[in-house]
């Protein structure tokens, strides 16, 4: 064999051996890979918090854990998130409890009209509530963290300045927010956030009630020029991990994740609150949205209509054997505690 050819063959052989044995060893020896599914598009806040968690976990475990993220419903979508994680289709998943209000009764109590001032406070309240009650509906998974959207407000293709404007108006809303729309005389159309852009485009709904960062992140401000500030209910979210996967993790990795629960809830709330402000600026500047603040009198009328909602939830929750009044009391007390900080 010619020396040049022999050298070439040796190089090919050695690089094959390196890539088969050594290279994977460098990046993968003992490395734990976790898949993390999310339902809305990558730039939206549930996915931004997912990327932040991924980065922090990878850093704090010194690369022992690698998290592969799947935004935009590419692995699991909004409605099969919980069951998909239980089944192990994804190791981790982020879900909005409002899309299955009967299933997540305790944590969805945070979507009653409590008047949370912002997402940071609501997220900390939700996380504490979960830790106190550890509700059965999460028994099959490990809960990594919880967080909330900012308070929901109305945005629509038509102005909503009073209850008359709201009568029969089709607004996209789920869970506790849907109860609010119904109580005010509007027509609530339930669907995940990820299906809302098409529904607005096609005119299936005339607007929606959700946190206002969506005006920018989903470009709703292009279609919905009218915003009515009601400081309505939040949407609660949970990040859950397949239980068998959790149990298979080394103790030091579990500790990193457990230590991040509260921090991640607060980080997400703060990110969300800052993002709402940016979104409003962007929407005013680029799409000339009109913002309506209700008069005190109008506001009082609206609030009266909302009063029965909590009573009805208490009845339903009691029928399911839950300490409903105590849960409501706890949420109010926690709201005070964190809002006062
Ligand atoms: N579950 C929610 C809350 C929400 C607010 N912003 C976003 C962005 C992406 C997904 C969900 C959300 C809702 O359905 O409105």
């Amino acid at each position: 064999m010619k020396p040049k050819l022999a050298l070439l063959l040796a190089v090919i052989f050695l690089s094959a051996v390196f890539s088969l044995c050594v290279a994977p060893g460098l990046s993968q020896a003992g490395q734990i890979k976790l898949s993390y599914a999310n339902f809305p598009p990558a730039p939206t806040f549930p996915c931004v918090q997912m990327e932040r968690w991924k980065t922090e976990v990878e850093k704090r475990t010194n690369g022992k854990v690698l998290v592969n993220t799947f935004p935009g419903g590419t692995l699991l979508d909004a409605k099969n998130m919980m069951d998909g994680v239980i089944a192990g289709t994804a190791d981790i998943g982020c879900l909005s409890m409002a899309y299955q209000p009967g299933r997540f009764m305790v944590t969805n109590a945070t979507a009653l009209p409590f008047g949370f001032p912002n997402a940071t406070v609501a997220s900390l309240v939700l996380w504490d509530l979960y830790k106190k009650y550890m509700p059965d509906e999460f028994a099959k998974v490990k809960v990594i963290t919880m967080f909330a959207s900012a308070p929901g407000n109305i945005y629509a293709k038509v102005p909503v300045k009073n209850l008359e404007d709201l009568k029969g108006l089709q607004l996209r809303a789920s869970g506790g927010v849907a109860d609010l729309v119904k109580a005010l005389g509007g027509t609530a159309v339930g669907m995940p956030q990820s299906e809302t852009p098409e529904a607005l485009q096609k005119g299936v709904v005339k607007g929606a009630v959700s946190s206002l960062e969506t005006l920018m992140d989903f470009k709703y401000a292009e279609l919905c020029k009218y915003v009515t500030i009601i400081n309505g209910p939040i949407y609660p979210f949970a990040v859950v991990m397949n239980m068998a996967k959790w149990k298979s993790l080394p103790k030091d990795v579990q500790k990193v994740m457990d230590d991040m629960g509260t921090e991640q809830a607060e980080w997400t709330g703060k990110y969300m609150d800052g993002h709402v402000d940016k979104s409003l600026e962007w929407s005013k500047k680029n799409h000339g949205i009109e913002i309506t603040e209700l008069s005190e009198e109008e506001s009082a009328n609206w609030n009266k209509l909302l009063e029965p909602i909590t009573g009805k939830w208490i009845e339903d929750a009691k029928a399911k054997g839950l300490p409903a009044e105590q849960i409501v009391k706890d949420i109010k007390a926690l709201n005070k505690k964190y809002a006062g900080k």
Side-chain angles (χ1 to χ4, degrees), residues 193-272:
Q193 186 69 264
S194 36
E195 291 171 18
T196 310
E198 199 182 325
L200 274 170
Q201 285 283 355
K202 290 190 173 158
V204 175
V205 291
K206 297 276 186 319
V209 183
S210 192
S211 44
L212 295 179
E213 96 294 351
T214 52
L215 291 175
M216 176 167 74
D217 287 355
F218 286 89
K219 308 272 182 290
Y220 293 150
E222 285 174 4
L223 294 167
C224 299
K225 303 275 184 220
Y226 302 96
V227 175
T228 308
I229 302 296
I230 58 168
N231 290 320
I234 56 92
Y235 281 94
F237 287 76
V239 179
V240 297
M241 186 187 286
N242 176 275
M243 191 58 102
K245 186 52 111 185
W246 169 255
K247 287 186 176 157
S248 77
L249 296 177
K251 288 275 168 290
D252 58 331
V253 169
Q254 286 185 344
K255 181 164 170 20
V256 167
M257 293 178 183
D258 268 339
D259 287 351
M260 276 180 68
T262 307
E263 177 195 319
Q264 184 71 14
E266 188 168 16
W267 185 92
T268 307
K270 284 194 173 145
Y271 169 80
M272 165 57 111

Side-chain angles (χ1 to χ4, degrees), residues 280-316:
L280 279 173
E281 278 311 301
W282 179 89
S283 305
K284 278 187 225 161
K285 193 165 151 224
N286 295 289
H287 297 287
I289 56 156
E290 189 184 304
I291 299 181
T292 298
E293 305 261 0
L294 297 178
S295 68
E296 246 174 61
E297 195 192 338
E298 193 65 34
S299 204
N301 288 338
W302 292 42
N303 284 337
K304 244 210 182 87
L305 293 172
L306 301 184
E307 275 166 16
I309 294 180
T310 304
K312 165 86 172 58
W313 181 88
I314 289 178
E315 253 176 50
D316 294 348

Side-chain angles (χ1 to χ4, degrees), residues 60-289:
R60 294 179 198 193
T61 59
N62 299 314
K64 199 166 173 179
V65 173
L66 180 78
V67 183
N68 289 316
T69 55
F70 296 85
T74 45
L75 185 54
L76 288 170
D77 66 24
K79 286 181 179 155
N80 64 12
M81 193 59 74
M82 185 70 167
D83 292 323
V85 170
I86 291 172
T89 309
D91 297 322
I92 307 169
C94 172
L95 62 120
S96 174
M97 277 87 96
Y99 303 157
Q100 291 173 296
R103 182 171 186 174
F104 302 105
M105 199 80 192
V106 175
T107 45
N108 266 324
T110 54
L112 293 167
F114 287 113
F116 290 115
N118 53 46
T120 308
V121 168
S123 297
L124 291 168
V125 171
L126 170 66
W127 184 230
D128 276 9
L129 188 80
Y130 165 72
K131 284 188 293 179
K132 171 166 179 186
Y133 288 94
M134 302 291 274
D136 284 350
E137 56 258 31
F138 291 101
K140 289 190 182 149
V141 290
K142 163 71 186 175
V143 179
I144 296 293
T145 191
M146 288 192 183
F147 55 83
S149 68
N153 290 297
I154 300 172
Y155 43 87
K157 296 177 181 181
V158 293
V160 177
K161 295 192 193 283
N162 49 47
L163 290 169
E164 198 50 41
D165 293 339
L166 204 53
K167 224 182 215 161
L169 189 67
Q170 285 140 323
L171 294 174
R172 176 266 154 179
S174 297
V177 182
D179 294 335
L180 167 131
V181 171
K182 284 182 228 158
L184 294 174
T187 302
V189 185
M191 71 186 76
Q193 186 69 264
S194 36
E195 291 171 18
T196 310
E198 199 182 325
L200 274 170
Q201 285 283 355
K202 290 190 173 158
V204 175
V205 291
K206 297 276 186 319
V209 183
S210 192
S211 44
L212 295 179
E213 96 294 351
T214 52
L215 291 175
M216 176 167 74
D217 287 355
F218 286 89
K219 308 272 182 290
Y220 293 150
E222 285 174 4
L223 294 167
C224 299
K225 303 275 184 220
Y226 302 96
V227 175
T228 308
I229 302 296
I230 58 168
N231 290 320
I234 56 92
Y235 281 94
F237 287 76
V239 179
V240 297
M241 186 187 286
N242 176 275
M243 191 58 102
K245 186 52 111 185
W246 169 255
K247 287 186 176 157
S248 77
L249 296 177
K251 288 275 168 290
D252 58 331
V253 169
Q254 286 185 344
K255 181 164 170 20
V256 167
M257 293 178 183
D258 268 339
D259 287 351
M260 276 180 68
T262 307
E263 177 195 319
Q264 184 71 14
E266 188 168 16
W267 185 92
T268 307
K270 284 194 173 145
Y271 169 80
M272 165 57 111
D273 290 328
H275 209 55
V276 166
D277 295 343
K278 275 193 197 148
S279 166
L280 279 173
E281 278 311 301
W282 179 89
S283 305
K284 278 187 225 161
K285 193 165 151 224
N286 295 289
H287 297 287
I289 56 156

